[in-house]
Amino acid sequence: MSLPIPGEQVRGSKTGKPIMALLDLLGRTWALGIVWQLSQGSATFRQLQQRCEQISPSLLNTRLKELKVLQLVESTPNGYQLTLTGQGLFSVISPLGEWSLQWASQIKKDDV
Amino acid sequence: MSLPIPGEQVRGSKTGKPIMALLDLLGRTWALGIVWQLSQGSATFRQLQQRCEQISPSLLNTRLKELKVLQLVESTPNGYQLTLTGQGLFSVISPLGEWSLQWASQIKKDDV
DNA sequence: AATATCGCTACTAATATTGTAGCATTGTTA
DNA sequence: TAACAATGCTACAATATTAGTAGCGATATT
């Protein structure tokens, strides 16, 4: 899959609007999950594999490459970590954690 | 694909944590995009297809079903629209719009 | 030197998405 | 009221993505 570079065409949009590039990126399997997991501290390749329970090494590596090119993740001698930009992204999406709890309890209520 | 129901196992996680269900859901092609587009007003099936430039009707329908079961989208005589819950989700992710602009300009800078 | 761990690649099978055609239903027009 | 158009959606084959597993080369440890 080609990289969703803001300013260029991306999967599902020809406008090049940054938000479309971002939605394309975050809409890829495990992309959000990797950012989420790395927000809890840097990790080596195999550590990250464990945090992302079911991810295959090939996909993990593919995603990491994408996230590196897009400057959300960087690799250091100590493993992978979020860049400053990546941390910025996380701070934007982190409210999802709390929101998901409300959402979950609401869906349960409606089951009854 | 099975539905990522909070409280149950989802793709990539056995813990059933709501955040994992949410990340699974949002990590599916066009899921975020549909929520984003519907935030700009309700739309009929074909209108939504046009807003989501490249989406195929089969996938659009699949995603809409998922989003309906998970109570983020509802269909009315006037077309599809976000539920109150869906609007809540959008208000959580809407800062991504502005953030993506900063991100884009930063990536461009580094190209130079 | 043998063993272990690591980052990662290679490859195939399974699954998801696209793309296109078109059906059934509901208006709309003549 | 018969022809026509538009809509929501399904069917299905082609293509692309992801999962799963094995294992290589490099570095570290015993």
Side-chain angles (χ1 to χ4, degrees), chain B residues 50-65:
Chain B
Q50 288 181 330
R51 291 194 198 166
C52 303
E53 305 168 45
Q54 305 277 19
I55 198 171
S56 68
S58 35
L59 182 60
L60 177 56
N61 191 43
T62 301
R63 283 291 169 277
L64 285 172
K65 277 182 192 165

Side-chain angles (χ1 to χ4, degrees), chain B residues 18-37:
Chain B
I19 183 62
M20 298 309 288
L22 184 60
L23 294 182
D24 179 2
L25 174 67
L26 300 183
R28 297 175 180 199
T29 303
W30 270 113
L32 271 168
I34 290 172
V35 171
W36 197 269
Q37 295 299 338

